[in-house]
Amino acid sequence: AQKITQTQPGMFVQEKEAVTLDCTYDTSDPSYGLFWYKQPSSGEMIFLIYQGSYDQQNATEGRYSLNFQKARKSANLVISASQLGDSAMYFCAMREGPPGTYKYIFGTGTRLKVLA
Amino acid sequence: GAVVSQHPSWVICKSGTSVKIECRSLDFQATTMFWYRQFPKQSLMLMATSNEGSKATYEQGVEKDKFLINHASLTLSTLTVTSAHPEDSSFYICSVTSTDTQYFGPGTRLTVL
């Protein structure tokens, strides 16, 4: 069974608009972490935002916010005021396991294209 | 965040040769580093966890004799693809963890002819 599910293989958004990239996860660990990474065509993985399972508030980092709904096991990424440079692959990832034995699991990714 | 470098950024080799990829943590002492492989248009797949001073932990299905990992210091881990074949052509990425976050190197694109 997929532990991280990204159901949108591709998304389009108009420049300056907001866009939500979906991510659902599956774990039985009480403590876990959720991440979003951006991968431009150069291939490097750029860390965007992190949400801990015990964090009460949704994480925000500049134009990025994470809509964390624990009961639904979803961790959607919201990008506000999209820019052309936001066009890239976006991966949702989950860290599970106790400290020292962390494992990171990645979703299949969503390719975002920002239109001028 | 942690700064991670990889060398080389790309390599082309003949089938049957061995290729070594270096991963360096430039500003952080990493007792653990991770090695991933990414095929075109696919997600990252964890290959192994590299532990400083001890043997690496390989994921199921990854041949430890083919993908040799050495983590000799707190800032350097190496991945050697032995007797490379065209099916080993892929994008190899390493990462380090700092507090709650995982930081990635820029990746190495391996092409085996």
Side-chain angles (χ1 to χ4, degrees), chain A residues 8-9 17 20 22 24 26 34-35 41 44 48 56 60 66 71 78 80 84 97 101:
Chain A
Q8 306 153 314
E17 297 286 310
T20 298
D22 295 342
T24 58
D26 182 27
L34 298 158
F35 302 79
S41 56
E44 63 180 313
L48 296 179
Q56 295 292 318
T60 60
L66 199 151
V78 180
S80 62
L84 295 177
T101 63

Side-chain angles (χ1 to χ4, degrees), chain A residues 36 45 55 57-58 60 73 88 90-91 96 98 103 113:
Chain A
W36 278 92
M45 294 287 285
D55 293 343
Q57 295 193 330
N58 287 344
T60 60
K73 293 190 174 179
Y90 288 81
F91 290 98
E96 60 177 3
K103 286 289 176 69
K113 176 70 175 176

Side-chain angles (χ1 to χ4, degrees), chain B residues 62-108:
Chain B
V62 177
E63 301 174 56
K64 61 181 180 182
D65 294 331
K66 179 165 185 63
F67 298 100
L68 300 178
I69 291 173
N70 184 282
H71 193 155
S73 77
L74 289 171
T75 58
L76 174 64
S77 176
T78 60
L79 168 69
T80 301
V81 184
T82 62
S83 186
H85 290 284
E87 58 265 30
D88 298 324
S89 298
S90 187
F91 192 57
Y92 292 86
I93 314 176
C94 69
S95 73
V96 303
T97 55
S98 174
T99 56
D100 289 322
T101 305
Q102 186 177 197
Y103 296 95
F104 288 87
T108 296

Side-chain angles (χ1 to χ4, degrees), chain A residues 57-71:
Chain A
Q57 295 193 330
N58 287 344
T60 60
E61 289 284 349
R63 294 186 300 111
Y64 305 108
S65 60
L66 199 151
N67 184 359
F68 181 44
Q69 298 192 36
K70 198 169 183 177

